[in-house]
Amino acid sequence: MKGIVFTEFLDLVEDKFGIEMVDRIIEQSELQSGGAYTSVGTYDFSEMLKLLKNLSSNTGIAIDDLLLVYAEHFFSVLEKSYPLFFEMYSDPIEMLASIENHIHVEVIKIYPDAELPTFELVEKTDDSLIMIYKSSRAMHHFGLGLMNKTFQHFNTTASIVLEKIKNDGTEVKFIINKN
Ligand code: HEM
């Protein structure tokens, strides 16, 4: 997993819960990297999982809810870092339908070691989309947060329903309807 995912995560934890919480979860997680992340580095996903689990047990907030809030923060990082991707689209459904065949394809060119999910397109209309998320990282709520923000970016909203195809969250159907 790219270092920027770790550095932005710890920045947000510091913002919301204070630097003591950052130090505490790093200590509790017994990380191989020691928790000294750089945005350009690449680190094991298991470290993110440990940080999330410890933040969840210290705050009583479920991991999926932490991922949802984190994705909303990460979206603004994407907006600032990759404005071209946003300028190329004028519609949220078009943008979301293009993650698999365009956006993440470009991401893997920039970061060949990025670990990205796949989104299989099942059905698409002008104002609805059904996609199947697949990833060993089970970060579907990170996807949900990014999707919510994508609609907000285009000054609209959507109702998004998640149906787990696999219980461990590695395969999830997203049913998206623009409001
Ligand atoms: C992960 C880039 C838009 C879904 C990532 C990662 C990057 C990235 C760099 C981390 C990969 C790693 O750590 O190895 C981008 C860029 C985008 C974009 C540049 C647009 C400008 C989206 C959108 C979605 C999405 C709109 C909405 C569904 C995900 C998910 C992950 C991810 C769910 C977590 C990894 C996983 O589940 O396996 N993306 N992304 N991305 N992205 Fe995107």
Side-chain angles (χ1 to χ4, degrees), residues 120-136:
E120 183 192 316
L121 204 70
V122 178
E123 203 184 292
K124 177 177 173 293
T125 70
D126 283 352
D127 45 25
S128 74
L129 192 62
I130 299 179
M131 293 200 290
I132 296 180
Y133 163 91
K134 285 186 197 169
S135 167
S136 61

Side-chain angles (χ1 to χ4, degrees), residues 1-6 42 74-75 78-79 82-83 85-86 95-96 99 103-104 107 110-111 113-119 131 133-147 150 174:
M1 173 156 276
K2 299 310 296 174
I4 190 167
V5 184
F6 288 87
T42 301
F74 196 71
F75 189 85
L78 295 177
E79 278 178 316
Y82 307 96
F85 283 126
F86 295 91
M95 182 162 172
L96 294 177
I99 302 166
I103 297 174
H104 278 172
V107 171
I110 310 169
Y111 308 114
D113 54 355
E115 297 174 294
L116 298 165
T118 63
F119 283 98
M131 293 200 290
Y133 163 91
K134 285 186 197 169
S135 167
S136 61
R137 289 163 293 284
M139 289 174 72
H140 43 84
H141 269 61
F142 188 76
L144 178 62
L146 293 177
M147 289 181 189
T150 302
F174 280 82

Side-chain angles (χ1 to χ4, degrees), residues 94-107:
E94 291 300 331
M95 182 162 172
L96 294 177
S98 306
I99 302 166
E100 180 70 14
N101 294 326
H102 172 227
I103 297 174
H104 278 172
V105 175
E106 294 304 318
V107 171

